[in-house]
Amino acid sequence: MVTVPAMIDEVRVAVIGVGNNTSALVQGLSFYRATGSAVGVSRPRIDGLGVGDVRVVAAFARSDGKVGRDLHEAIFAAPNNFPRIEAGLPPAGVTVQRGLVDATEIDRVAEALKGAEVVLYSAPSGRPEIALAYAEAALAAGAAFVNTTSDPVARDVALVRRFEAGGVPLIGDDLASQFGTSVLHHTLLRLLEARGLTLTSSYQVNLGGTEDFRNLVENPNTKKQSKVNALGSDRVQIAPLGYLPHLGSQKIAHLNIEAQGWAGTAVSLDVRLQVHDPSGAAGVNIDLIRLAAAALRSGRGGYLPEAAALLKSPPGTAV
Amino acid sequence: MVTVPAMIDEVRVAVIGVGNNTSALVQGLSFYRATGSAVGVSRPRIDGLGVGDVRVVAAFARSDGKVGRDLHEAIFAAPNNFPRIEAGLPPAGVTVQRGLVDATEIDRVAEALKGAEVVLYSAPSGRPEIALAYAEAALAAGAAFVNTTSDPVARDVALVRRFEAGGVPLIGDDLASQFGTSVLHHTLLRLLEARGLTLTSSYQVNLGGTEDFRNLVENPNTKKQSKVNALGSDRVQIAPLGYLPHLGSQKIAHLNIEAQGWAGTAVSLDVRLQVHDPSGAAGVNIDLIRLAAAALRSGRGGYLPEAAALLKSPPGTAV
Amino acid sequence: MVTVPAMIDEVRVAVIGVGNNTSALVQGLSFYRATGSAVGVSRPRIDGLGVGDVRVVAAFARSDGKVGRDLHEAIFAAPNNFPRIEAGLPPAGVTVQRGLVDATEIDRVAEALKGAEVVLYSAPSGRPEIALAYAEAALAAGAAFVNTTSDPVARDVALVRRFEAGGVPLIGDDLASQFGTSVLHHTLLRLLEARGLTLTSSYQVNLGGTEDFRNLVENPNTKKQSKVNALGSDRVQIAPLGYLPHLGSQKIAHLNIEAQGWAGTAVSLDVRLQVHDPSGAAGVNIDLIRLAAAALRSGRGGYLPEAAALLKSPPGTAV
Amino acid sequence: MVTVPAMIDEVRVAVIGVGNNTSALVQGLSFYRATGSAVGVSRPRIDGLGVGDVRVVAAFARSDGKVGRDLHEAIFAAPNNFPRIEAGLPPAGVTVQRGLVDATEIDRVAEALKGAEVVLYSAPSGRPEIALAYAEAALAAGAAFVNTTSDPVARDVALVRRFEAGGVPLIGDDLASQFGTSVLHHTLLRLLEARGLTLTSSYQVNLGGTEDFRNLVENPNTKKQSKVNALGSDRVQIAPLGYLPHLGSQKIAHLNIEAQGWAGTAVSLDVRLQVHDPSGAAGVNIDLIRLAAAALRSGRGGYLPEAAALLKSPPGTAV
């Protein structure tokens, strides 16, 4: 017997920030709706919600090149460089609104967020006061808040309690990638250990061409340090990030692992990984959005532990 | 309070076959005893038995260049090409005996195996009748039998029952490697799948310079087919093995994985692995020997399920 | 002062064989004519002839899937797998004719070749009598003959004399690639030598997915041997070719070079090359066609020494 | 008839700086004298002078850990990390002297240089006044001066004239490597161009673990800029140098080249190079020393044009 699915209400999302990650998300939503494909999707359904059930209904940006334009045009404005997935993307019917520049505008934004179930905060990291202002606006509007930046929002205990009290989900902080250097390096090191090999040395070099990369190169210490810690060994060295504009939204990583096996004989492993960072972000954002919507709809507020594996800095980790 | 370890009786091993794998094992035993190092060892203790508690007390070979020589000389005779780990290896005090060439010699070999607790069968694959004859000799001598070849021994149900009845362990068949192309490729494919990526295509090329490699190149089908099956996807292609003599006992593998992430965007992974195959064998043999000895000492005969993870074709898999 | 170019008569080419190499050539001619681009072209002009001055006016094939179809359709028929460069390729207006199957058909083909200036012989290697029959037909039709296969045609001294006497150019044998493993490997080995490094060992693995590759894999010795000789050192080892269908018309090569520098210290070089073999062929064919046409127009018959650098087996090399 | 070589007077060299490059040179001289090998040597004879004809007769350093020790001990003092090539290196019989710290000491050093034919200046770059002071001392002592640093010495026109007048050779500035990333990258780009491919983009990442590397990382601009210029294309990007201490004196470079062939089809090239930088320096220094000695012995002073190919910044290039 074929089960007839109940009609599902679309998940209405507001995106804050119209950078590469938003471009990948928005283009992908169009791709999946048009093709019905499930390629590259980690979880086809989350609480019954499919990828094609998510719709962007509002978008906010700061740059003059994006504000006032249709979302499907704005995602290609400089310095965005995520490629065009398909020719002939029709207008989104969503005009990019001007984002807030300080906390006095929370009310205006909260008003504009009415009708959205999930606010995906996808602006550049490094402006925690802006992130918090958007979180306040989302709470006021009754929309779940997903913080993809490294700014501490879900690690703010008092704020989480207020979302909890309001029955509004709060997810964050700092998006993990669907498939990136860290998980690959970590998996290989763990495999070596499981097989009884002894790590001699290891390095990792990351090269990329996005604005994110440029920002990290100009302010390298935080990111680099967090990677070393994450890999848990002083035998692993992370080379400085390389900003190579011609790579566009591609990231290329070179990994090397030198180890010793039986009687100290050498084992060498060299890996080259090539991915699109914004795709890795979109592939996780689509899950966070659905987790948030499902929780909101069932009345669960505050932090969602089921999101932890998709985040680099969930509540409880150091700010 | 410091616990004084009980004096442990050394595990007395007879090795059948004095090829590269035996060279790696024998040199490693000397290395670990001399240095006290635990580098590259998967399990420092198995039922209390350390790596340094294993001693080779008898060795059998077929070639004139090895029979009659001290084991520590014979391991460097052609066509062996596993490198010399340390200068100044002293004589082993074990003279290589002539191995059996047909089943009529079982009694002679059984006599020579007296005093050994474990028989490590490390001859070339492809002569099942010889493997079975050695197993008979081991059973007659009351020594546990470890079959590292792909010839079916532990998959012979009747034989396993006889070992069980005699209280003598029987382990096999076909040694897995401590760290080889298969486990690496498998781990990477599984990681991709876990992260929701869709496999587009993948290949694997293996290059090596040992006699084992030469034999596989001249008779490629079995091995190659088993690899494809093991990786479980018709999108994974295994290129023909390449016998490159100058590589000696090193194996070099090139792996490529092409996948699709969010909205079909490309993910590419290229890996180069360099290992010494005989080290990978020795690192597993040292565990099988200790599992066999521990079982024998505690009176457990027949197949040992705890060895399954270290074998490619344990009982129950196809012959 | 701007020089007004004289109007150039188009070079009229008949292609024998409608495989991947012809697909690349034909699609490329359309691409260059449409775009005016000079990307990837080695010599924009040869004796005044540009890439866009070449036009295919006749095509011959043997398979039922190609004969009788428009050339721009036939180039995509199986087993061809060179990708479609541009959407919307219009019909060529050239219908693929049935090629000859034995020497009795020379007259029919010669008749069909009338009007062509250059016959590009791009059928599979290994049928020298067919190659010679086409050469006879070309000579009879007064069209220059370019043999891209390894079958000996331009190495047939008597035939060259007859072309010379007839004032008809004859170019061959065996097409070099515009950019392939051999030239890359050779260049790197020469660089090492020029810098005073001592070669320890080197290997090369080639993987591909075309019918050409499949044929070479099934009949490997000739090709492999010629590569070793070409690289001129017994320290260079060529692994067996790997036919991996999913690669399509891409070729992937892995090269390794191990050398010794000052005081024997190690230098290692690992290279991965990814190219489309048919593009490498087309990039050379376009030059051979123009060399042949220019010679024909100026009345020079017989072998053209200026083509030697573009061939693997020019006259004078072993048959 | 066998020619009996005339007895050759050894070339007496004073080295300024006892870092990794001097370690490689000194150990190599011992290696070549002991083994008679010619492995890794670019030019076995220069004007009759062999590698084994060069002898270090004096050495100068600044650090307390090196001054006063035998040269064969001092070359292993921290932060030097070039590996020990051979066990059992006997004492050199040369005690490291304290180097000069300002120009007032020129006379003392000139006195100490008496008896040397060639002064090899191999101290860290970035102290031009010290380099010039040593050059003055060498001129006063009548010894040829070889400046391996990037400090301008041979680009000082007046100084070259004074060396010329004195009949004393002056070679510099800035040592090229025997085999490094630049020459490899340059060769590959040139090969692509020669074959008619169109460069799309290219990158280069250099990783190393020496003090030289650390200095360059802390002061990156000069070096990086010079590399871009040297490769002559704005499509080539040089990633920041990565200082990874565990690499020791090894340098690892990752190169990528993306190009377009026929009709714009993609060609990709990925290269990994692993070398010992100090070996690359020693392999060139041994030639410069012999060129300098040969010129001095034949009375040729001033700059030696035959050295230009071994230098990055010979006279006439920008200071």
Side-chain angles (χ1 to χ4, degrees):
Chain A
M1 197 192 78
V2 176
T3 317
V4 179
M7 195 64 186
I8 289 177
D9 279 344
E10 285 190 335
V11 178
R12 299 184 306 282
V13 178
V15 292
I16 315 298
V18 182
N20 277 325
N21 289 1
T22 294
S23 177
L25 178 68
V26 162
Q27 289 193 69
L29 291 177
S30 170
F31 166 87
Y32 286 112
R33 204 171 287 131
T35 62
S37 164
V39 67
V41 171
S42 181
R43 301 162 70 180
R45 298 263 155 206
I46 292 181
D47 267 318
L49 298 168
V51 171
D53 297 324
V54 174
R55 184 175 294 275
V56 174
V57 297
F60 295 79
R62 293 176 70 154
S63 91
D64 289 342
K66 292 170 181 168
V67 174
R69 298 175 71 179
D70 183 87
L71 178 58
H72 282 183
E73 284 174 36
I75 55 177
F76 300 112
N80 286 11
N81 53 12
F82 184 76
R84 192 177 285 272
I85 291 179
E86 290 176 295
L89 191 67
V94 173
T95 301
V96 176
Q97 303 175 57
R98 185 163 304 277
L100 57 73
V101 292
D102 60 53
T104 64
E105 299 177 276
I106 291 177
D107 290 348
R108 170 178 70 84
V109 170
E111 188 63 30
L113 290 177
K114 290 257 166 76
E117 290 174 284
V118 179
V119 174
L120 180 73
Y121 184 69
S122 189
S125 293
R127 298 176 307 190
E129 69 293 352
I130 300 293
L132 288 167
Y134 273 111
E136 292 289 351
L139 180 56
F145 190 77
V146 177
N147 174 34
T148 71
T149 72
S150 60
D151 297 329
V153 176
R155 283 169 292 171
D156 179 327
V157 180
L159 188 65
V160 171
R161 287 211 184 111
R162 290 173 52 219
F163 269 78
E164 203 172 328
V168 179
L170 172 55
I171 292 180
D173 300 324
D174 208 357
L175 200 62
S177 179
Q178 190 180 0
F179 192 78
T181 318
S182 297
V183 70
L184 177 60
H185 207 158
H186 185 67
T187 298
L188 291 171
L189 293 174
R190 218 170 35 185
L191 174 63
L192 253 75
E193 195 185 357
R195 307 298 281 198
L197 302 189
T198 302
L199 182 63
T200 307
S201 69
S202 185
Y203 70 72
Q204 182 191 117
V205 190
N206 290 280
L207 309 169
T210 62
E211 279 301 290
D212 260 18
F213 243 83
R214 187 209 289 267
N215 292 337
L216 287 166
V217 166
E218 287 167 5
N219 186 14
N221 294 328
T222 340
K223 181 77 171 190
K224 185 175 161 184
Q225 195 50 44
S226 78
K227 284 223 168 180
V228 176
N229 294 346
L231 290 165
S233 167
D234 60 358
R235 304 208 165 183
V236 180
Q237 299 185 336
I238 314 288
L241 293 170
Y243 170 61
L244 303 183
H246 70 62
L247 291 181
S249 75
Q250 288 181 101
K251 184 170 75 180
I252 291 173
H254 294 283
L255 271 64
N256 166 263
I257 298 176
E258 303 289 336
Q260 288 178 289
W262 176 254
T265 47
V267 174
S268 289
L269 204 52
D270 282 286
V271 182
R272 184 182 197 269
L273 170 67
Q274 187 159 351
V275 293
H276 279 276
D277 260 2
S279 294
V284 174
N285 277 333
I286 193 66
D287 289 357
L288 295 179
I289 288 167
R290 291 181 291 165
L291 288 173
L296 182 76
R297 290 177 181 189
S298 64
R300 294 173 55 216
Y303 177 66
L304 306 179
E306 63 265 38
L310 305 174
L311 299 164
K312 285 189 190 146
S313 306
T317 57
V319 174
Chain B
M1 197 191 80
V2 174
T3 316
V4 178
M7 195 63 184
I8 288 178
D9 279 343
E10 285 190 335
V11 178
R12 299 184 305 282
V13 178
V15 291
I16 315 298
V18 182
N20 277 325
N21 289 1
T22 294
S23 176
L25 178 68
V26 162
Q27 290 192 66
L29 291 177
S30 169
F31 166 86
Y32 287 111
R33 203 170 288 129
T35 61
S37 164
V39 68
V41 171
S42 181
R43 302 161 69 180
R45 298 263 155 204
I46 293 182
D47 268 318
L49 298 168
V51 171
D53 296 325
V54 174
R55 182 175 295 275
V56 174
V57 298
F60 295 79
R62 291 176 70 155
S63 91
D64 289 341
K66 292 170 181 168
V67 174
R69 297 176 70 180
D70 184 87
L71 179 59
H72 282 182
E73 283 174 36
I75 55 177
F76 299 112
N80 286 11
N81 54 11
F82 185 76
R84 193 177 283 275
I85 291 179
E86 290 177 296
L89 191 67
V94 173
T95 301
V96 177
Q97 303 176 56
R98 186 164 302 275
L100 57 74
V101 292
D102 60 52
T104 64
E105 299 178 276
I106 292 177
D107 291 349
R108 170 178 68 84
V109 169
E111 188 60 32
L113 291 177
K114 291 258 165 76
E117 288 175 285
V118 179
V119 174
L120 180 73
Y121 184 69
S122 188
S125 293
R127 297 177 309 190
E129 70 291 352
I130 300 293
L132 288 168
Y134 274 109
E136 292 289 351
L139 180 56
F145 190 78
V146 176
N147 173 34
T148 70
T149 73
S150 60
D151 298 328
V153 176
R155 283 170 292 173
D156 179 328
V157 180
L159 188 65
V160 171
R161 286 210 185 114
R162 289 173 53 218
F163 269 78
E164 204 171 326
V168 179
L170 172 55
I171 292 180
D173 300 322
D174 210 358
L175 200 62
S177 178
Q178 190 180 359
F179 193 78
T181 319
S182 297
V183 70
L184 177 60
H185 206 159
H186 185 69
T187 299
L188 291 171
L189 292 174
R190 218 170 35 186
L191 174 63
L192 252 75
E193 195 185 357
R195 306 298 281 199
L197 302 190
T198 302
L199 183 64
T200 307
S201 69
S202 185
Y203 69 73
Q204 181 191 118
V205 189
N206 289 279
L207 309 169
T210 62
E211 279 302 290
D212 260 18
F213 243 82
R214 188 210 287 267
N215 292 336
L216 288 166
V217 166
E218 287 167 6
N219 185 15
N221 296 327
T222 340
K223 181 77 171 190
K224 185 175 161 184
Q225 196 50 44
S226 78
K227 283 224 169 179
V228 175
N229 293 346
L231 290 166
S233 167
D234 60 358
R235 302 207 166 183
V236 180
Q237 300 185 336
I238 314 289
L241 293 169
Y243 170 61
L244 304 182
H246 71 61
L247 291 181
S249 73
Q250 287 180 103
K251 186 169 74 179
I252 291 173
H254 293 283
L255 272 64
N256 166 263
I257 297 175
E258 302 290 334
Q260 287 178 289
W262 176 255
T265 46
V267 174
S268 290
L269 203 52
D270 283 287
V271 182
R272 185 183 197 268
L273 170 66
Q274 187 159 350
V275 294
H276 279 277
D277 260 2
S279 296
V284 174
N285 276 333
I286 193 66
D287 289 358
L288 295 178
I289 289 168
R290 291 181 291 166
L291 288 173
L296 182 76
R297 290 177 181 188
S298 64
R300 292 173 57 215
Y303 177 66
L304 306 179
E306 62 265 38
L310 305 173
L311 299 164
K312 285 188 190 147
S313 307
T317 56
V319 172
Chain C
M1 197 191 79
V2 175
T3 316
V4 179
M7 195 65 183
I8 288 178
D9 279 343
E10 284 191 336
V11 178
R12 299 184 304 282
V13 179
V15 291
I16 315 298
V18 182
N20 277 325
N21 289 2
T22 295
S23 177
L25 178 68
V26 163
Q27 290 192 67
L29 291 177
S30 170
F31 166 87
Y32 287 110
R33 203 170 289 129
T35 61
S37 164
V39 67
V41 170
S42 180
R43 301 161 68 180
R45 298 263 155 204
I46 293 182
D47 267 318
L49 298 168
V51 171
D53 296 324
V54 174
R55 182 174 297 273
V56 175
V57 298
F60 295 78
R62 292 176 70 155
S63 91
D64 289 341
K66 292 170 181 167
V67 173
R69 297 176 71 179
D70 184 87
L71 179 59
H72 282 183
E73 284 174 38
I75 55 177
F76 299 112
N80 286 12
N81 54 12
F82 185 77
R84 192 177 284 274
I85 290 178
E86 289 177 297
L89 191 67
V94 172
T95 301
V96 176
Q97 304 175 58
R98 185 164 302 276
L100 57 74
V101 291
D102 59 52
T104 64
E105 299 178 276
I106 291 177
D107 290 350
R108 171 178 69 84
V109 170
E111 188 62 31
L113 292 177
K114 292 256 165 77
E117 288 174 286
V118 179
V119 174
L120 180 72
Y121 184 69
S122 189
S125 293
R127 296 177 309 190
E129 69 291 353
I130 300 293
L132 288 167
Y134 274 110
E136 292 289 350
L139 179 56
F145 190 77
V146 176
N147 174 34
T148 71
T149 73
S150 59
D151 298 328
V153 176
R155 282 169 292 173
D156 179 328
V157 179
L159 189 65
V160 171
R161 287 211 184 112
R162 290 173 53 218
F163 270 78
E164 204 171 327
V168 179
L170 171 56
I171 293 181
D173 301 322
D174 208 359
L175 200 63
S177 179
Q178 190 180 359
F179 192 78
T181 319
S182 297
V183 70
L184 177 60
H185 206 158
H186 185 68
T187 299
L188 291 171
L189 292 174
R190 218 170 35 186
L191 174 63
L192 252 75
E193 196 185 354
R195 306 298 280 198
L197 302 191
T198 302
L199 182 64
T200 306
S201 69
S202 184
Y203 69 73
Q204 181 191 117
V205 189
N206 289 280
L207 309 169
T210 61
E211 279 302 289
D212 260 18
F213 243 83
R214 188 210 288 268
N215 291 337
L216 288 166
V217 166
E218 287 167 6
N219 184 15
N221 295 326
T222 340
K223 181 78 172 188
K224 185 175 160 183
Q225 196 50 44
S226 77
K227 283 223 168 180
V228 176
N229 293 346
L231 290 166
S233 166
D234 60 358
R235 303 208 166 182
V236 180
Q237 299 185 338
I238 314 289
L241 293 170
Y243 170 62
L244 303 182
H246 71 62
L247 291 181
S249 73
Q250 288 180 102
K251 185 169 74 179
I252 292 173
H254 294 283
L255 272 64
N256 166 262
I257 297 175
E258 302 290 335
Q260 287 178 289
W262 176 254
T265 46
V267 174
S268 289
L269 204 51
D270 282 286
V271 182
R272 185 184 197 268
L273 169 67
Q274 187 159 349
V275 293
H276 279 277
D277 259 2
S279 295
V284 174
N285 276 333
I286 193 66
D287 289 358
L288 295 179
I289 290 167
R290 291 180 291 166
L291 288 173
L296 182 77
R297 290 177 180 189
S298 64
R300 293 173 55 217
Y303 177 66
L304 306 179
E306 63 265 38
L310 305 173
L311 299 165
K312 285 188 190 147
S313 306
T317 56
V319 173
Chain D
M1 196 192 79
V2 176
T3 316
V4 179
M7 195 63 186
I8 289 177
D9 279 344
E10 285 189 335
V11 177
R12 298 184 306 281
V13 178
V15 291
I16 315 298
V18 182
N20 277 324
N21 289 1
T22 294
S23 177
L25 178 69
V26 162
Q27 289 193 67
L29 291 176
S30 170
F31 166 86
Y32 286 111
R33 203 171 288 130
T35 62
S37 164
V39 68
V41 171
S42 181
R43 301 162 70 179
R45 298 262 155 206
I46 292 181
D47 268 318
L49 298 169
V51 171
D53 296 325
V54 174
R55 182 175 295 276
V56 174
V57 298
F60 295 78
R62 291 177 72 154
S63 91
D64 290 341
K66 291 171 181 167
V67 173
R69 297 175 71 181
D70 183 88
L71 179 58
H72 283 184
E73 283 175 37
I75 55 178
F76 300 112
N80 287 11
N81 54 11
F82 185 76
R84 191 178 285 273
I85 290 179
E86 291 177 296
L89 191 66
V94 172
T95 301
V96 177
Q97 303 175 57
R98 186 163 303 277
L100 57 72
V101 292
D102 62 52
T104 64
E105 300 177 275
I106 290 177
D107 290 348
R108 169 178 70 84
V109 170
E111 187 62 30
L113 291 177
K114 290 258 166 75
E117 289 174 285
V118 179
V119 174
L120 180 73
Y121 184 70
S122 189
S125 293
R127 298 176 307 192
E129 69 292 353
I130 300 293
L132 288 167
Y134 274 110
E136 292 288 352
L139 179 56
F145 190 77
V146 177
N147 173 34
T148 72
T149 73
S150 60
D151 297 328
V153 176
R155 283 169 291 171
D156 179 328
V157 179
L159 188 65
V160 171
R161 285 208 187 115
R162 290 173 52 220
F163 270 78
E164 204 172 327
V168 179
L170 171 56
I171 293 180
D173 301 323
D174 209 357
L175 200 62
S177 179
Q178 190 180 0
F179 192 78
T181 318
S182 298
V183 71
L184 177 60
H185 207 158
H186 185 67
T187 299
L188 292 171
L189 292 174
R190 217 169 36 183
L191 174 63
L192 252 75
E193 195 185 358
R195 306 298 281 198
L197 302 189
T198 302
L199 182 64
T200 307
S201 69
S202 184
Y203 70 71
Q204 181 191 118
V205 189
N206 290 280
L207 310 169
T210 61
E211 279 302 288
D212 260 19
F213 243 82
R214 188 209 288 267
N215 291 337
L216 287 166
V217 166
E218 288 167 5
N219 185 15
N221 295 328
T222 340
K223 181 78 172 188
K224 184 174 161 184
Q225 196 50 44
S226 77
K227 283 223 168 181
V228 176
N229 294 347
L231 290 166
S233 167
D234 60 357
R235 303 207 166 185
V236 180
Q237 298 185 335
I238 314 287
L241 293 169
Y243 170 61
L244 303 182
H246 71 61
L247 291 181
S249 74
Q250 288 180 101
K251 184 169 75 178
I252 291 173
H254 293 282
L255 271 65
N256 166 263
I257 297 176
E258 303 289 335
Q260 287 178 289
W262 176 254
T265 46
V267 174
S268 289
L269 205 52
D270 282 287
V271 182
R272 184 182 198 269
L273 169 67
Q274 186 159 350
V275 293
H276 279 277
D277 260 2
S279 295
V284 174
N285 276 333
I286 193 67
D287 289 357
L288 295 178
I289 289 168
R290 291 181 291 165
L291 288 174
L296 181 75
R297 289 178 181 188
S298 63
R300 294 172 56 215
Y303 177 65
L304 305 179
E306 63 266 38
L310 305 174
L311 299 165
K312 286 188 189 146
S313 306
T317 57
V319 174

